[in-house]
Amino acid sequence: MLGTLKRSDHYLPNGASARGPFALQVTPESAGWTESSLRIANLEPGQRLTLATRNDEYIIIPLAGSATVANGAGTFTLKGRESVFTGPSDFVYVGRDSKFTLSTETGGRIALCGARAKNKLPMRYVAAEDVAVELRGAGNCSREVRNFGTADAFEADSLIACEVVTPGGNWSSYPSHKHDEETDVESSLEEIYYFEISAADPGDGSFTGAVDTSGQGFGYQRVYGTKERPIEVLEEVRTGDAVLIPHGYHGPSVAAPGHHMYYLNVMAGPGEVRAWKITDDPQHTWIRGTWDDQNVDPRLPLRPNSGE
């Protein structure tokens, strides 16, 4: 049975890293690294948090519900979304050495993607319609990538973040790849994967975009290393789980048939250049060549039934 298997130290099941107001709190200190962080706040209607960024920068993005972010630079209302499966969200960037208040009138699940920052950049708001959406891969390797905080889409000091939606039965983060060295072809980036799994989608047009909280929906995440830097992770993941990737090849991320997989990627590294440069596992990079003769999964971009 799965419960008898040894869990990886890099796997954080839902609730295991809850601290104070955060359902998930990953800091450089708790992760055993130096750069990346992630907090998930489940806010009740009317709840308010006052936070200081100190030497970090943040992108604040609703996973569900809406919120307001305010500091001396201004007040920004995030329209948010019903769930991560209903499309991209607007977001706010807050630079280092700042204080801000996060509040919500109706409640929400809010992600605070963080990274150590050397330079302070101004607070900014980006609307959901301005988030670049990319359909990557083909066939059963098709996925939807929302590049809201990637290096080529948004200015930050070191933080890189994006969202990936993988339809049920598909593989993403494949071919497996790594980014743990500073070279001409690779960046050294610590990465956090945070997962949400959709409620069952029978494929008959009744999918509402709801997130599964029963534990029925699941997927799998793989991480493996090299002979010089070994790491072994193979975990069954459900809504609210996270996986830490300090180094090594990661992928595939596999969505069980009938349940779509969402994951939030948060990355940062010590390099002078903010870039996402990767190296494929040479045993599997050939798979990219097979996509030329396949179509993108017609379920993408994934959106719930509108009822029309």
Side-chain angles (χ1 to χ4, degrees):
M1 293 178 61
L2 181 64
T4 65
L5 298 179
K6 183 181 184 299
R7 292 292 199 181
S8 167
D9 293 337
H10 301 290
Y11 166 70
L12 302 176
N14 185 16
S17 60
R19 300 290 184 275
F22 301 111
L24 171 75
Q25 178 169 277
V26 177
T27 67
E29 294 76 18
S30 70
W33 55 38
T34 62
E35 309 297 327
S36 301
S37 65
L38 176 62
R39 293 167 174 85
I40 306 294
N42 288 328
L43 300 181
E44 299 294 330
Q47 189 172 355
R48 177 185 300 263
L49 298 177
T50 299
L51 303 166
T53 62
R54 296 185 175 88
N55 58 346
D56 288 346
E57 59 184 348
Y58 287 103
I59 287 179
I60 303 168
I61 184 168
L63 305 178
S66 58
T68 297
V69 182
N71 74 359
T75 299
F76 298 91
T77 298
L78 293 168
K79 297 177 183 178
R81 50 190 164 181
E82 291 184 23
S83 89
V84 295
F85 297 106
T86 57
S89 176
D90 50 356
F91 65 91
V92 165
Y93 171 90
V94 182
R96 62 166 292 161
D97 300 319
S98 303
K99 289 185 177 180
F100 66 95
T101 299
L102 177 64
S103 61
T104 175
E105 293 184 4
T106 58
R109 186 166 59 260
I110 314 299
L112 291 82
C113 311
R116 294 285 190 255
K118 298 180 179 69
N119 302 296
K120 182 176 181 178
L121 299 179
M123 188 174 185
R124 281 159 286 151
Y125 168 86
V126 175
E129 54 266 29
D130 292 328
V131 172
V133 177
E134 170 191 0
L135 301 185
R136 188 178 296 171
N140 65 352
C141 290
S142 301
R143 58 271 204 185
E144 173 185 342
V145 184
R146 302 168 185 162
N147 293 304
F148 70 90
T150 53
D152 57 351
F154 183 79
E155 182 186 10
D157 186 71
S158 62
L159 177 62
I160 297 173
C162 68
E163 299 178 316
V164 179
V165 176
T166 307
N170 283 13
W171 288 30
S172 61
S173 282
Y174 194 73
S176 305
H177 60 280
K178 73 181 185 75
H179 40 68
D180 58 13
E181 300 178 85
E182 284 293 330
T183 69
D184 291 341
V185 297
E186 196 171 322
S187 308
S188 178
L189 299 169
E190 308 156 350
E191 186 164 15
I192 304 165
Y193 273 57
Y194 166 79
F195 296 89
E196 296 195 358
I197 308 297
S198 81
D201 181 3
D204 58 3
S206 62
F207 180 58
T208 64
V211 171
D212 177 68
T213 58
S214 68
Q216 177 188 25
F218 67 96
Y220 290 96
Q221 177 65 40
R222 178 78 169 112
V223 185
Y224 58 97
T226 61
K227 182 178 179 180
E228 295 74 22
R229 302 182 73 187
I231 184 173
E232 287 292 338
V233 180
L234 176 56
E235 293 292 347
E236 190 169 294
V237 292
R238 290 178 165 80
T239 296
D241 292 355
V243 172
L244 309 180
I245 304 172
H247 58 86
Y249 292 104
H250 41 288
S253 305
V254 183
H259 293 274
H260 311 303
M261 171 189 280
Y262 162 93
Y263 53 84
L264 171 63
N265 288 147
V266 179
M267 293 171 274
E272 292 298 319
V273 177
R274 176 176 172 254
W276 183 69
K277 295 187 293 183
I278 65 169
T279 299
D280 286 344
D281 182 335
Q283 295 185 89
H284 303 298
T285 194
W286 64 269
I287 199 70
R288 294 184 185 274
T290 69
W291 298 344
D292 296 338
D293 298 322
Q294 298 182 67
N295 295 322
V296 173
D297 191 315
R299 294 174 290 179
L300 292 175
L302 187 70
R303 299 293 181 268
N305 179 36
S306 64
E308 296 178 356

